[in-house]
Amino acid sequence: MLQTTPKKFLPVKAFPEIMFKALQEKLKPAVGLFDEIWICAVEYNEDETSHLICVMGVKNSAQQAIVKSINEVLSFTDIDLGNIDVAHFSCDDEACSKIREIGIKLEFREVSEVKNVSLDVKNKATLAPPKLR
């Protein structure tokens, strides 16, 4: 795990829609373990640029699992996007405001819709497990 300091954050020039969907599907079960995920480009001190997946407000216990899930998505695709880095930020980090201005947010609408639907169920008894004799 190499750590380097970003020189500046940049808008993403080309990040395929299929990659967004794959990341959304893979990370959907982890919703609630992080606050936001953004994708941007980043330029490092060595004047090298890379894509950056920014996980904001991730719970410490979930950091490794989320990085592993992201790496699995990136490993099983044949799309060459060059270097892709993953970084964790606390939501009040000054870098987050810059990333939010120029980045693309990974949305998880389906999860919030499913949660809302389950709250609207009128006959909650049908959701209860069967009684065993």
Side-chain angles (χ1 to χ4, degrees):
M1 179 185 282
L2 179 65
Q3 291 188 349
T4 184
T5 305
K7 191 173 176 181
K8 63 181 172 179
F9 298 101
L10 307 164
V12 175
K13 292 185 180 162
F15 201 87
E17 184 70 25
I18 193 165
M19 289 297 294
F20 282 106
K21 290 181 184 211
L23 286 166
Q24 287 169 324
E25 283 301 310
K26 185 69 173 178
L27 295 171
K28 193 185 303 186
V31 168
L33 299 176
F34 59 87
D35 293 330
E36 302 171 46
I37 296 181
W38 291 78
I39 299 173
C40 65
V42 64
E43 183 179 300
Y44 294 107
N45 293 334
E46 306 86 36
D47 291 328
E48 99 179 57
T49 59
S50 175
H51 286 94
L52 181 64
I53 299 175
C54 312
V55 185
M56 299 178 186
V58 67
K59 297 192 182 330
N60 288 340
S61 60
Q63 284 182 353
Q64 288 181 345
I66 290 174
V67 169
K68 181 180 176 191
S69 294
I70 291 170
N71 284 334
E72 286 175 4
V73 169
L74 300 175
S75 297
F76 291 108
T77 183
D78 59 354
I79 300 171
D80 183 16
L81 297 172
N83 293 335
I84 300 178
D85 300 320
V86 179
H88 300 282
F89 297 91
S90 76
C91 285
D92 58 352
D93 192 316
E94 137 183 1
C96 290
S97 60
K98 295 175 188 174
I99 293 166
R100 287 182 185 114
E101 288 174 15
I102 53 95
I104 300 171
K105 185 176 184 181
L106 213 58
E107 298 287 346
F108 295 92
R109 287 188 204 114
E110 299 85 10
V111 173
S112 56
E113 288 172 8
V114 169
K115 287 180 183 176
N116 291 337
V117 168
S118 68
L119 295 176
D120 294 338
V121 173
K122 292 180 181 169
N123 187 357
K124 296 212 183 224
T126 60
L127 298 177
K131 292 182 181 178
L132 302 175
R133 296 178 192 228

